[in-house]
């Protein structure tokens, strides 16, 4: 079976699948690891200000979750670092001397995060209460900075800068310009807000479900409120950040914009297509709803502006249009749905009562933010194809010449599925233990 599978999947496809699965796994735990410390710190703050025991138990429950997820994120992130060298030596040869700075800064932020987690875990009754609280906040801040530095490295792949390419070699290297390239701001902002949004809704949805089940109602209601303040606020900000990101993509990567919108023909008064299925053979969109001129407005703030289509590029330079377009529609659709739920959350929070139908809707929305993050990274990564470094190095030219990549993919698939299952079990166990303790008190 493995031999037959290996014959069906060439080494380039297997290497891309390995990287895609590894990144798709890590990004979930990275997002949780960046955001959960802030939820933990919010609960801890409420305990210190009000002295209520429920907030203390919630803080300790989330603290254990942060520790578990930090360990998983560290493992999966380290694997990704090794995979860059093992699977894509051509990329490291080109990028290593140029874009190493954000990776080194990410390592520094990770070190600070690890120290802060240790201080928070073992600082109970050993430190001043507010100093102890501050160490928990540092966990979140350093984790957030770590995410920004990693995204800065990825943004360089979409908008390479800080070097001149002469006779196949990089010269005049400027690591600062490489890190703070033209794509780093919109990608970092979009990703960090998405992490807060996704984790806020995931945590809020889980606790809304547990509240509806009647388990430790005071604990779960408080947890849902804290998480949804973060998630709902991020969901309302995200459309503005996403619009800014779309304008930058239109400027820096017009082929990606054309693919994610299914825009085949360069035109003025370009329509925005809602839904639809792009057909690369006939270069048309099927079954979509067109809004005339809206794509020109969103991309260039002018309904008469020209939007570059895929017809300006040879087909071998097109991203996979169907995949990118569908992923983009999923991301935007789920984002708008969460924005509506975020508005409703603040409305019901102001009224002081959450109806059961809304709590049920929150419970059902638990995975939506994570799905949107995965779809967004499909847009980012697949939309850059066929380039691993945009318009500098093709993905097929960066892959390792070592054969047998399919076995590498299968190995990591099994390992990650096992690691993911163990993490979910540990996290669920912590929730059950805390709920029993609160219910018994």
């Amino acid at each position: 079976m493995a031999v037959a599978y290996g014959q069906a999947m060439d080494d380039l496809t297997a290497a891309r699948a390995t990287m895609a699965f590894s990144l798709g796994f890590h990004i979930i735990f990275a997002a949780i690891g960046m955001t959960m410390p802030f939820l933990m710190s919010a609960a801890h703050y409420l305990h210190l200000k009000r002295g209520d025991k429920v907030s203390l138990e919630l803080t300790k429950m989330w603290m254990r979750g942060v520790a578990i997820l930090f360990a998983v994120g560290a493992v999966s992130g380290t694997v990704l670092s090794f995979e860059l060298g093992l699977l894509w030596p051509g990329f490291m040869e080109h990028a290593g001397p140029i874009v190493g700075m954000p990776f080194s800064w990410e390592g520094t932020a990770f070190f600070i995060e690890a120290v802060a987690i240790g201080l928070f875990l073992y600082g109970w009754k050993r430190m001043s209460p507010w100093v102890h609280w501050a160490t928990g906040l540092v966990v979140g801040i350093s984790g957030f900075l770590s995410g920004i530095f990693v995204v800065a490295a990825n943004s360089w792949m979409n908008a390479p800068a800080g070097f001149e390419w002469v006779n196949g070699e990089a010269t005049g290297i400027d690591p600062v310009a490489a890190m703070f390239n033209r794509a780093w701001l919109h990608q970092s902002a979009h990703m960090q807000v998405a992490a807060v949004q996704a984790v806020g809704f995931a945590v809020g949805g889980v606790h809304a479900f547990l509240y509806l089940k009647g388990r430790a109602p005071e604990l779960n209601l408080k947890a849902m409120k804290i998480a949804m303040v973060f998630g709902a606020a991020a969901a309302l900000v995200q459309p503005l950040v996403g619009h800014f990101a779309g304008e930058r993509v239109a400027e820096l990567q017009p082929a990606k914009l054309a693919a994610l919108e299914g825009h085949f023909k360069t035109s003025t008064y370009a329509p925005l297509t809602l839904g639809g299925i792009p057909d690369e053979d006939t270069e048309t969109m099927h079954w979509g709803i067109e809004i005339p001129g809206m794509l020109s407005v969103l991309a260039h703030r002018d309904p008469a502006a020209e939007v570059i289509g895929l017809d300006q590029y040879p087909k071998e330079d097109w991203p996979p249009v169907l995949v990118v377009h569908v992923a983009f529609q999923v991301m935007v659709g789920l984002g708008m749905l969460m924005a509506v739920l975020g508005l409703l959350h603040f409305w019901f929070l102001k009224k002081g009562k959450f109806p059961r139908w809304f709590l049920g809707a929150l419970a059902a929305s638990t995975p939506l933010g994570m799905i949107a993050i995965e779809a967004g990274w499909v847009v980012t990564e697949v939309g850059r194809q066929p380039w691993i470094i945009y318009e500098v190095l093709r993905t097929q030219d960066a892959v390792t010449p070592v054969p047998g990549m399919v076995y590498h993919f299968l190995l990591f698939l099994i390992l990650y599925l096992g690691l993911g299952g163990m993490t979910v079990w540990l996290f669920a166990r912590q929730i059950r233990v805390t709920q029993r303790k609160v219910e018994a008190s």
Side-chain angles (χ1 to χ4, degrees), residues 30 102 220 254 264 301 310 334 354 422 430:
N220 285 308
F264 290 97
R301 306 184 187 184
L310 289 166
L334 294 181
F354 295 92
M422 182 180 65
Q430 293 302 324

Side-chain angles (χ1 to χ4, degrees), residues 192-214:
Q192 303 308 93
V193 174
V196 176
Q197 177 181 350
V199 176
F201 270 83
V203 176
V206 167
H207 287 286
F209 173 77
L210 294 172
Y211 177 81
L212 289 172
K213 297 284 285 185

Side-chain angles (χ1 to χ4, degrees), residues 168-193:
E169 294 185 1
T171 61
I173 295 173
D174 182 348
V176 176
M179 178 172 173
F180 298 106
N181 56 79
R182 292 186 296 167
W184 86 270
L185 179 59
H186 75 262
Q187 278 198 215
S188 295
H190 196 33
M191 178 59 217
Q192 303 308 93
V193 174

Side-chain angles (χ1 to χ4, degrees), residues 3 56 81 150-151 154 162 174 208 226 237 239 242 255 258 274 278 280 285 309 324-325 360 380 396 419 429:
V3 174
L56 177 61
S81 300
V150 169
V151 175
N154 178 268
D174 182 348
I226 293 173
V237 171
L274 303 179
E280 294 185 49
M285 288 287 293
V324 176
H325 176 74
T380 299
Q396 65 184 20
L419 184 61
R429 181 176 179 275

Side-chain angles (χ1 to χ4, degrees), residues 117-198:
I117 284 179
L119 290 173
F120 190 80
L121 285 173
Y122 300 104
W124 295 96
K125 298 181 180 180
R126 294 181 176 89
M127 305 168 67
S128 164
W130 285 106
V131 173
H132 182 227
W133 172 81
T135 62
L137 194 61
V138 169
V139 176
I141 294 171
S142 55
F144 223 65
L145 290 173
S146 178
I148 289 174
F149 296 143
V150 169
V151 175
N154 178 268
S155 67
W156 178 85
M157 298 164 69
N158 290 300
F163 67 99
E164 295 181 4
W165 200 250
V166 180
N167 297 325
E169 294 185 1
T171 61
I173 295 173
D174 182 348
V176 176
M179 178 172 173
F180 298 106
N181 56 79
R182 292 186 296 167
W184 86 270
L185 179 59
H186 75 262
Q187 278 198 215
S188 295
H190 196 33
M191 178 59 217
Q192 303 308 93
V193 174
V196 176
Q197 177 181 350

